[in-house]
Amino acid sequence: MNQTKYIFVTGGVTSSLGKGIIAASLAKLLQARGYRATIQKFDPYINVDPGTLNPYEHGECYVTDDGAETDLDLGHYERFLNVPTSQANNVTTGRVYLSVIEKERRGEFLGKTVQVVPHITNEIKERMQLLGNSGDFDIVITEIGGTVGDIESLPYIESVRQLVWELGENNGIVIHLTLVPYLAAAGELKTKPTQHSVKTLMESGIKADILVCRTEHELSDELRNKLALFCNVKREAVIQSIDASTIYEVPNLMLEEGLDVVALKKLDLPQKNTPDMKNWNVFLQRLKNPKHVVNIGLVGKYVELQDSYKSILEAFIHAGATNETKVNVVSVHSEYIDNQNVAGKFEGLDGIVVAPGFGERGIEGKIEAVRFARENNIPFFGICLGMQMAVIEYSRNVLGLKDANSTEMNIGTSHPVIDLMEEQKTITDKGGTMRLGAWKCDLKENTLAHKIYGKSTILERHRHRYEFNGEYLQKLENAGLKASGINPDTGLVEVVEIEKHPFFIGVQYHPEYKSTVANPHPLFVNFVAAAVKAKKIV
């Protein structure tokens, strides 16, 4: 095929309708038909990336292999497609304007007045075609963040209008995702919000080719015909997206609705073969028919917002299906854990995860959670900050270094078992300056980590500034906390574990970022298996 085809996904009526899931589901179906598909996200906010955003603001910050701090939707893209994303897959308004301003400062616009059209829109269009121009993909799906009509989204909508026109017929199409709400008082679904949303899109010069309607109730033929007529789309292009029990059902629902067939038809592409969803459906079957149930405590300080730990929650879904186990994740706010209530907080739990995070709030609660898991032989899994808390807890309660801490929490601690990385000490800018992206780690033989991975060298994604202080390595190892994973380039400790424990492991990296439906992460898979085993013993 000579030319890359483009699909743009816009949203209307309200945010959080699931543009990312629809984009990922369509890409999955196209991939299952044999097309090379990828997805990118264009976000309207002015931050250069989500790296400096509080999780309460925007959910988790997802990290790619190449060290990009990105929107959490990229996690969905990878989990569905099992293909790594990169810096090019997520662009923000901040990044666009920063690039244009830097070009202006270098004199690249030859003294012209720099304007939204054409300078900002040209920058956006260039980035929209970056992945397509690589020659690696047949179809590029571009999700536009926010909703049509937002003042922040206007440059993106204008860029889509221009690009669809420039690409020519059958080379670029627009899918518009809207809400068809059910009014209980009237006892019926209402199409007016969708009509207004499509009208707003058309006022921007864009005609929707496909309408995807989020709904809690089935759309009748009469209602579909009405939407087609009033919104100027073909009847077959009115796609129902009904609420599902899990996001992983959505590709099958879209297959039933014929979303992929309509899209291919509008792009003038052959349907090729029937989508091969065999492995996907095996996963779904296991997910829906578990043989066991375990309760896992997720100890964190952003637990009020589920999206703060999105990749961890999804990794447990993948690992649960692999183990034919339903994993109930119980949120435990670390700020409210202390020595007096810890036993009550963790009653009935079969495993404890101490989650990542930044800052001193809730730290003592996390340390208390580690102690409880260690002393009561409850399977324990520490991620990033969770691993650091395990080191501090062991240093305090086994080594007897009562003042042991991280210099992130207590700059004056006499035992900085966790300390700021040397190269971080001169850094003042906060955005994009942590240890980010994929780094190598060598695993020692005859350790739990080596047994879990089944190999000696792994590549995992990082996002942190503070590290295990090597000066305390010998003391901690002598006391029974083993360093089973070491970065070969820096000598920094990446994995710690306790041998004489049913399952106790802490990792400095973020394994949750690499868990997908096709490749559930082995650490999560083995942790869930350990929780199942522990429950049986009890």
Side-chain angles (χ1 to χ4, degrees):
M1 190 171 64
N2 298 326
Q3 186 173 1
T4 302
K5 305 274 188 169
Y6 291 86
I7 299 173
F8 300 96
V9 181
T10 60
V13 184
T14 176
S15 59
S16 302
L17 285 183
K19 288 193 301 293
I21 302 302
I22 291 297
S25 297
L26 176 56
K28 180 71 208 168
L29 295 177
L30 295 171
Q31 186 190 59
R33 283 188 183 274
Y35 285 101
R36 299 172 303 159
T38 189
I39 321 170
Q40 54 189 356
K41 173 84 181 277
F42 280 68
D43 265 312
Y45 54 77
I46 298 173
N47 302 65
V48 173
D49 57 45
T52 54
L53 286 172
N54 187 311
Y56 288 132
E57 286 277 328
H58 206 70
E60 77 170 8
C61 175
Y62 187 79
V63 176
T64 58
D65 277 340
D66 65 351
E69 292 178 294
T70 72
D71 183 78
L72 60 81
D73 270 329
L74 268 72
H76 290 312
Y77 305 164
E78 289 202 12
R79 288 187 279 273
F80 275 57
L81 297 181
N82 199 37
V83 175
T85 53
S86 70
Q87 186 86 51
N89 292 76
N90 190 204
V91 178
T92 67
T93 295
R95 193 173 292 283
V96 169
Y97 273 81
L98 184 65
S99 176
V100 170
I101 289 166
E102 284 172 347
K103 285 177 181 176
E104 184 271 333
R105 293 289 81 187
R106 291 194 298 267
E108 289 187 24
F109 299 124
L110 304 174
K112 290 275 188 190
T113 303
V114 180
Q115 296 176 286
V116 174
V117 180
H119 302 99
I120 297 298
T121 51
N122 283 349
E123 181 76 22
I124 292 169
K125 287 188 294 182
E126 197 177 299
R127 289 171 180 267
M128 282 177 170
Q129 295 175 90
L130 209 56
L131 290 167
N133 292 338
S134 69
D136 296 332
F137 304 104
D138 304 317
I139 301 168
V140 175
I141 301 175
T142 303
E143 179 193 345
I144 307 295
T147 52
V148 170
D150 292 350
I151 194 166
E152 298 98 332
S153 298
L154 290 174
Y156 292 110
I157 297 300
E158 170 59 16
S159 300
V160 170
R161 184 196 69 77
Q162 291 179 22
L163 194 50
V164 168
W165 180 77
E166 287 167 14
L167 288 167
E169 206 171 343
N170 306 124
N171 291 322
I173 63 168
V174 175
I175 296 175
H176 192 54
L177 178 65
T178 73
L179 178 69
V180 179
Y182 179 79
L183 293 190
E188 62 181 350
L189 291 161
K190 290 293 183 182
T191 64
K192 194 60 75 179
T194 294
Q195 290 177 48
H196 279 298
S197 182
V198 170
K199 183 184 174 189
T200 304
L201 190 64
M202 290 184 81
E203 284 170 354
S204 302
I206 296 174
K207 178 191 176 297
D209 296 285
I210 299 172
L211 209 53
V212 177
C213 305
R214 273 303 304 272
T215 175
E216 296 173 359
H217 300 271
E218 295 279 343
L219 301 182
S220 65
D221 281 341
E222 184 187 358
L223 198 133
R224 289 185 192 232
N225 288 331
K226 183 180 178 181
L227 281 167
L229 178 66
F230 281 63
C231 297
N232 200 23
V233 296
K234 289 193 173 174
R235 167 65 177 75
E236 65 185 33
V238 177
I239 304 290
Q240 169 184 285
S241 177
I242 201 161
D243 289 357
S245 60
T246 166
I247 59 171
Y248 299 106
E249 277 183 357
V250 179
N252 281 334
L253 293 174
M254 291 303 100
L255 181 63
E256 286 170 25
E257 286 287 310
L259 175 60
D260 56 327
V261 172
V262 177
L264 288 170
K265 197 170 166 186
K266 290 192 175 290
L267 291 170
D268 196 25
L269 290 172
Q271 286 185 35
K272 289 192 177 180
N273 35 8
T274 308
D276 179 9
M277 300 291 283
K278 185 184 171 191
N279 292 340
W280 187 272
N281 289 326
V282 167
F283 158 76
L284 263 180
Q285 190 67 21
R286 287 181 167 182
L287 181 63
K288 290 180 174 180
N289 300 285
K291 294 178 181 175
H292 319 283
V293 179
V294 292
N295 299 313
I296 303 292
L298 176 63
V299 182
K301 50 187 178 179
Y302 311 113
V303 293
E304 299 95 332
L305 184 69
Q306 277 213 328
D307 277 358
S308 299
Y309 303 111
K310 192 66 182 170
S311 290
I312 291 175
L313 298 176
E314 298 304 318
F316 273 123
I317 290 173
H318 310 152
T322 304
N323 284 287
E324 297 182 89
T325 299
K326 179 173 171 52
V327 180
N328 292 321
V329 178
V330 180
S331 296
V332 185
H333 203 304
S334 61
E335 215 173 345
Y336 308 119
I337 302 171
D338 57 40
N339 187 264
Q340 304 303 310
N341 67 16
V342 64
K345 292 273 186 190
F346 294 132
E347 193 177 347
L349 296 183
D350 309 304
I352 295 171
V353 177
V354 176
F358 294 91
E360 61 184 314
R361 184 172 65 89
I363 286 306
E364 294 302 322
K366 288 190 173 188
I367 293 168
E368 200 54 49
V370 178
R371 181 192 65 78
F372 188 80
R374 181 179 59 79
E375 292 181 353
N376 292 280
N377 286 328
I378 298 169
F380 168 81
F381 184 13
I383 301 172
C384 196
L385 184 68
M387 174 264 207
Q388 296 176 1
M389 296 303 101
V391 173
I392 293 169
E393 189 281 326
Y394 209 86
S395 302
R396 286 184 186 178
N397 299 320
V398 179
L399 272 186
L401 307 176
K402 296 300 175 191
D403 183 40
N405 214 325
S406 165
T407 52
E408 182 183 6
M409 322 308 166
N410 178 8
I411 194 74
T413 176
S414 56
H415 292 293
V417 291
I418 304 295
D419 200 5
L420 188 62
M421 296 159 61
E422 200 57 45
E423 62 267 30
Q424 289 283 332
K425 292 181 179 177
T426 55
I427 287 173
T428 52
D429 285 357
K430 297 295 182 196
T433 55
M434 287 184 264
R435 175 140 83 100
L436 293 164
W439 291 70
K440 274 185 185 175
C441 174
D442 289 342
L443 302 176
K444 294 179 183 173
E445 288 189 14
N446 303 316
T447 61
L448 177 60
H450 192 276
K451 182 184 166 194
I452 287 171
Y453 280 95
K455 51 187 174 183
S456 300
T457 302
I458 58 170
L459 206 62
E460 291 281 7
R461 298 177 192 176
H462 291 249
R463 186 175 184 255
H464 57 96
R465 295 184 195 281
Y466 291 79
E467 298 267 6
F468 184 110
N469 186 343
E471 290 177 22
Y472 291 86
L473 177 58
Q474 206 55 58
K475 283 182 183 175
L476 283 162
E477 288 217 306
N478 291 343
L481 186 71
K482 300 294 179 191
S484 55
I486 306 286
N487 181 301
D489 303 315
T490 61
L492 292 164
V493 173
E494 305 270 319
V495 188
V496 297
E497 59 184 68
I498 299 174
E499 209 174 343
K500 294 175 180 174
H501 191 282
F503 188 100
F504 190 105
I505 195 162
V507 297
Q508 182 58 78
Y509 46 82
H510 289 260
E512 70 273 20
Y513 291 151
K514 290 187 83 168
S515 187
T516 69
V517 170
N519 284 309
H521 199 285
L523 278 169
F524 283 89
V525 171
N526 281 268
F527 175 64
V528 170
V532 171
K533 188 178 176 185
K535 186 171 187 174
K536 283 180 180 173
I537 292 169
V538 172

